[in-house]
Each structure stands twice: as structure tokens, then as C-alpha cells.
Amino acid sequence: MAKAATVYDVAERAGVSIATVSMTFRRPHKVKEETRKIVEAAAEALNYVPSASARGLAHGRTRALGLYSFDYFRQEVIEKPAEAASVSPAQGGEVAVVRDEDEEHLRFPLYVDEVQRGVELECWQRGYALLIGGGSRADSPTVVTDIVGRVDGLAVFPRTVPDDVLERIAQRIPVVALSQGHQLDVLSTVCADNRGGMRAVTEHLIVEHGLRDLQFVGELSMSDAQERFSGFQAALRAAGLRVPRKPLARLAVDQHDTGSIIADVLAGGGDGLPEAFVCVTDEAALNLMAALAAHGVRVPEQVAVTGFDGIVAGRVVRPSLTTVRQPMQAMGRAVVDILVERIAEPAGPPVSRRLPVQVVVRESCGCSRP
């Protein structure tokens, strides 16, 4: 790795004191906007990231790792219209009641939660502290600086930190990208066998249930989703079936948007209903199943539905969800293993690990309840 720029280098380039540089990264709200932008520009030009050693920690090692994650619940609060839920005012000691049964599955751990749990467990076993940040896209280097400057390595979920910021961080500390392709040569990666898993569950629908009209539902903005769609296409192609060039529609997380998609599919008396919906994630599948039920479409009697992830909610929903189970905790543990390995050998090449998956058959595809 290249020799790291210091706080003195940034201060000299920006024409400010080292105290101002330190304050810009530690408490940016305390610095005038014009000064902050000058310091940030100087830091970017020098590829500067505040380091543990710069903070006077012994040997520049913190024995801490960072994880930049999503925050589904925070996003739900921000994006969900206020009138979407009805609230009964509490009077005379009564408990207020909020009607949000449409989002009941969001109360269960999601993919991100399970992976994060794996990171936490492995950090605990190895004696590392874990700093977690997230909740919004880190469009400014200062957003992740609070974590990066206090850790020996960083893990990130897809689309949480821009590539240019990640590339600069990776010149100072090891970085592992979760569930995304190897888009930057300086990043290590951990992902599941997305293509193979989706191909296997699609083949199950074709071979075991004799289905011929299958539609893939979900957006392809991330590489893991693109791999899953590729696996879906490969299974259809091998079976000599029609291969869709693109998914049926973008399936939003919001169930009400999903309902409008189903309404469009059913317009014209249900002629557009396929024999199976193969969904990009379990969360998408759960939203889809709820929307189908709201439109009087029975799963699996009228249409089969499958997901991908293996979250808890898929097991308890009725009908239970056929899915592809990712080794989510194992993925989190692999992240820590790679970071510790790279910390010990900073000059080593990036590492990529693709973990195996498992098809779990349940009721939503037409299989009998176990």
C-alpha cells in the first residue's frame, strides 16, 4: 500500500491548521462550510483518511472492525406516507393501536440482520470490537470517516458507500464488499452462489412441478440480482422454454406498489398470470404473496411463488415460502476472517469467496408441508 498522507499534509495543502483538519473530520458541523469543503478537497486529492495511528493509538491498531450497513426501518419511517397507518389515540390508560399488518414480515430479521449477526459473532470470537454505521448512502467521505478512522478494516453492503470513496478507503485499510461483484480490484468480496441457487430453484419448478410459464420478478440494480436473473434464464434455456429478456417488473419493497403491479398483470381477466413467479428476494416474494391474496389469487393453487435468502418470515408465513437459503451468518463470519487475514498481510491480494446455497422447498411452490 502507498505511504499514507498525514494530517500535516492535508493542513499544508488546504492552508489551514492541523486542528481545523482534525475538527473537519471529527466534528464537521463545527467547521464553516467553505473551510470544510477546502479541507475535504485537499484530503481527496491526497487520498487521506484519518488513521488510528494518527489518533495516537498504539501501533496504529484498534482491534476494531467497521460495518457499513442498510437501515431498513429508518428508511421505512422516512419513505412511508404518514397516512399509511391508522392510529387510535390512547385514553384513560388504554394502549394506542397501530394498524400495520401489511408490513408484519418486516418485524422478522431480514438478510442484512442475519449477515450482521455473523459479523458480530466472529468479531466476538476473535476479540475484535465492531463499529456499525448506516442508514443512508455515504455520498461524502466524512460520512464514513467516523468509522474508518477508528477501525483496522471495513465491510460494506451494496450501494451504501460510493465506489470512489471505497477505492480511497481501500488504499489505507482492507475493505470487503458483501453480495456484489468484483467491481473494484482493490476490494475483497463475499457473496453466495446466486446464479446456481436461482437456477436450482427454477429447475425444481420445471422438473418437479411441470411448470412452463415462469416469470422473474425484481429489479436488477445490484450484481447479486443480476446473477440470480441469469440463473433463472439458464434454467429456462436448458429446458427449451421461452426465456424472458428482462424481469416482469420492478418489484418495490412497498407492498402497495406491488399491489399495483399485480393489478396490471391481472388486467384482462387474469390472462397475464404466469404459472410461477420467481422472486429476486424473500422480501419481494412475501410482498407479492400478500398482494396476490389481496386480489383473490391463491398460492400455490393458481400460481407458485419462490424467493431467495432464507429469512425467518418465509418459514412462518402461510403458505410457507419455497426459497434459496443463503448461509447468511457464515457470510458475515467470512467477512471478518478475510479482514483479519488482510490486516495481518496488508500487501496481500484481494480475496473473493462465494459460499454455497441450499434450495428449501415448502408450500408456496406446491410441495406438501413437511
Side-chain angles (χ1 to χ4, degrees):
M1 293 185 179
K3 182 180 178 181
T6 69
V7 66
Y8 299 98
D9 299 325
V10 177
E12 181 179 0
R13 187 180 185 95
V16 300
S17 68
I18 59 173
T20 299
V21 175
S22 178
M23 185 66 72
T24 298
F25 285 95
R26 294 178 62 189
R27 296 185 177 182
H29 61 284
K30 295 284 188 180
V31 181
K32 291 182 180 179
E33 183 178 1
E34 181 180 355
T35 303
R36 177 174 54 79
K37 289 182 177 179
I38 292 173
V39 173
E40 287 181 356
E44 183 173 357
L46 294 169
N47 287 327
Y48 169 78
V49 174
S51 67
S53 57
R55 296 187 181 200
L57 298 176
H59 307 297
R61 295 290 174 85
T62 65
R63 294 294 298 179
L65 301 178
L67 175 64
Y68 211 85
S69 178
F70 298 113
D71 188 339
Y72 282 106
F73 293 100
R74 182 176 184 273
Q75 292 172 356
E76 181 75 6
V77 170
I78 292 173
E79 297 172 3
K80 185 176 178 180
E83 63 272 15
S86 59
V87 181
S88 302
Q91 296 180 352
E94 296 180 357
V95 177
V97 177
V98 180
R99 182 174 60 81
D100 67 346
E101 63 275 10
D102 289 345
E103 286 80 30
E104 185 65 23
H105 64 274
L106 291 178
R107 298 181 182 276
F108 290 92
L110 300 178
Y111 156 78
V112 171
D113 305 308
E114 296 290 349
V115 174
Q116 182 173 307
R117 178 61 173 160
V119 174
E120 293 170 348
L121 290 171
E122 191 67 16
C123 280
W124 177 78
Q125 279 199 344
R126 291 174 178 261
Y128 275 80
L130 178 65
L131 279 69
I132 300 175
S136 61
R137 184 172 168 81
D139 290 316
S140 167
T142 57
V143 176
V144 290
T145 290
D146 236 9
I147 291 181
V148 173
R150 291 183 284 170
V151 298
D152 299 327
L154 179 70
V156 294
F157 281 97
R159 298 169 63 184
T160 55
V161 180
D163 285 352
D164 60 327
V165 178
L166 280 180
E167 194 165 16
R168 292 202 293 120
I169 293 172
Q171 294 180 37
R172 297 293 174 262
I173 61 173
V175 178
V176 176
L178 274 153
S179 301
Q180 56 186 305
H182 206 153
Q183 78 267 22
L184 294 175
D185 292 338
V186 292
L187 302 184
S188 295
T189 59
V190 172
C191 61
D193 184 8
N194 294 294
R195 191 177 190 277
M198 191 60 85
R199 176 167 183 164
V201 75
T202 305
E203 289 174 345
H204 172 78
L205 295 172
I206 296 170
V207 175
E208 300 299 327
H209 297 282
L211 305 184
R212 294 294 180 267
D213 182 11
L214 290 76
Q215 292 283 2
F216 187 93
V217 185
E219 61 174 293
L220 304 181
S221 59
M222 292 190 287
S223 61
D224 58 351
Q226 295 165 14
E227 291 177 354
R228 292 171 195 178
F229 185 52
S230 174
F232 168 79
Q233 292 177 308
L236 295 180
R237 190 176 297 111
L241 302 178
R242 182 184 64 86
V243 181
R245 296 179 58 187
K246 59 182 181 179
L248 173 65
R250 291 183 59 192
L251 186 60
V253 171
D254 190 296
Q255 183 179 310
H256 304 289
D257 289 347
T258 305
S260 67
I261 293 173
I262 297 304
D264 290 342
V265 171
L266 296 176
D271 293 338
L273 192 68
E275 292 180 302
F277 285 115
V278 179
C279 297
V280 68
T281 65
D282 283 353
E283 188 178 3
L286 293 169
N287 279 322
L288 177 63
M289 288 169 62
L292 288 168
H295 284 79
V297 178
R298 298 187 307 279
V299 176
E301 292 83 359
Q302 291 177 265
V303 61
V305 176
T306 65
F308 198 112
D309 280 339
I311 63 176
V312 176
R315 188 172 69 244
V316 299
V317 72
R318 292 293 176 265
S320 54
L321 179 64
T322 292
T323 187
V324 179
R325 179 183 292 149
Q326 296 194 72
M328 294 175 282
Q329 284 198 16
M331 292 171 69
R333 288 180 177 273
V335 164
V336 177
D337 185 57
I338 291 174
L339 286 175
V340 172
E341 178 182 308
R342 292 301 313 281
I343 290 167
E345 298 182 19
V351 177
S352 293
R353 294 187 190 174
R354 186 177 296 273
L355 278 63
V357 297
Q358 179 183 29
V359 175
V360 180
V361 294
R362 298 191 181 116
E363 298 169 313
S364 68
C365 69
C367 287
S368 301
R369 180 170 174 77

